[in-house]
Amino acid sequence: MILPTDNFILLSLINTKLRDEYSSLSELCEEEDVSAEEIIFRLSAMGYVYNEAYNTFKAE
């Protein structure tokens, strides 16, 4: 998967995939061959953090 350049679209895409297809961020990254570090960095710059219990990125 190619990550969108717009961070709001990235947030929407990642949360949708986590909700509908993957049980964890690490599973998503492994299956889609994307960097968890890049996703976390980009979304944290917008004030979002990964919540493992809910398997979603949420605003801090």
Side-chain angles (χ1 to χ4, degrees):
M1 164 176 42
I2 297 173
L3 297 177
T5 55
D6 182 285
N7 286 343
F8 289 103
I9 294 173
L10 176 64
L11 173 65
S12 177
L13 174 69
I14 296 300
N15 276 342
T16 299
K17 285 192 169 285
L18 288 171
R19 182 190 67 224
D20 296 344
E21 300 175 33
Y22 298 104
S23 61
S24 69
L25 179 60
S26 60
E27 180 185 3
L28 180 150
C29 291
E30 184 176 316
E31 292 293 319
E32 298 286 347
D33 194 30
V34 294
S35 167
E37 291 80 16
E38 180 180 354
I39 293 168
I40 291 168
F41 175 78
R42 288 177 56 190
L43 297 183
S44 68
M46 295 176 20
Y48 286 83
V49 294
Y50 180 63
N51 184 311
E52 192 172 340
Y54 291 100
N55 193 36
T56 190
F57 280 87
K58 292 185 166 211
E60 290 187 285

